[in-house]
Amino acid sequence: LVQSRVLTVQGADGRGHKLLIPWLDMFNHRASSPHRLAGRTDGMLRVLAGAPVGAGEQVEIVYGTSGTSNAEFLGHYGFLDPAAAAADEALLRAHPHARPLLKQTALADDEAVLAATEPGSHEALALGLRVALKRAMGGAAWGAGSGGGDSGGAGGTPIEKSRRVRKRRRLAV
């Protein structure tokens, strides 16, 4: 839990320091958010609005970069992001030894087990990562034919549902 609330900020010494920063951890992640966190290298942390924000509107920021894989999202923040498919593909290219291990079970079988697993459970997150990596390995878009994407609606894959269960906090401005 602590790791999911920690932010690495560059200090005056040029090194990264892991800090707990009250209030900042209330911003949820959305890959397509126009808003962003700035100041991790200049000591002046701030959230910059990339679009107008109305009263009571939830403000989400982007965690990581376009190169942040689902393995990193899961390890650091405890959720999976459908928009991380390209980063998952890069992860698999960097670790080709993982491909034979992922091929030991069929994607359809893993999806069936995932669908029957309680959303938000550790098992669902582990299976969701395996499914995401298999989809990236096959070049298939995340959620193709299954309501993927980060639309924020009530539908979506079991992993998207578990993400909403785990990340229900809202920050109103």
Side-chain angles (χ1 to χ4, degrees):
L1 179 64
V2 171
Q3 180 67 25
S4 71
R5 301 290 179 249
V6 168
L7 183 69
T8 303
V9 177
Q10 183 177 337
D13 59 4
R15 295 185 5 227
H17 299 273
K18 295 192 179 298
L19 305 173
L20 286 172
I21 302 172
W23 181 75
L24 193 58
D25 71 334
M26 296 301 291
F27 289 93
N28 284 327
H29 165 80
R30 183 170 49 96
S32 61
S33 175
H35 314 300
R36 64 185 181 88
L37 176 65
R40 291 178 73 160
T41 58
D42 68 8
M44 300 289 293
L45 286 174
R46 57 210 176 272
V47 173
L48 301 176
V53 178
E57 181 180 341
Q58 180 177 3
V59 175
E60 299 158 312
I61 60 174
V62 178
Y63 293 8
T65 67
S66 61
T68 303
S69 71
N70 272 310
E72 294 169 286
F73 279 124
L74 185 57
H76 292 289
Y77 308 112
F79 68 87
L80 300 170
D81 184 355
D88 290 344
E89 290 173 17
L91 178 67
L92 288 168
R93 282 192 300 277
H95 300 281
H97 57 277
R99 290 177 179 273
L101 298 171
L102 289 168
K103 289 181 178 180
Q104 290 181 355
T105 58
L107 175 59
D109 293 341
D110 289 344
E111 289 171 327
V113 173
L114 179 58
T117 303
E118 180 180 342
S121 67
H122 294 287
E123 294 82 5
L125 290 169
L127 281 164
L129 177 60
R130 187 165 72 195
V131 166
L133 291 174
K134 284 182 177 191
R135 288 178 177 164
M137 186 170 65
W142 175 287
S146 64
D150 64 348
S151 63
T157 67
I159 291 307
E160 291 165 327
K161 290 175 185 171
S162 70
R163 176 177 168 226
R164 283 191 297 276
V165 168
R166 295 172 57 91
K167 305 280 292 170
R168 259 252 198 220
R169 297 183 318 256
R170 294 180 63 87
L171 178 66
V173 289

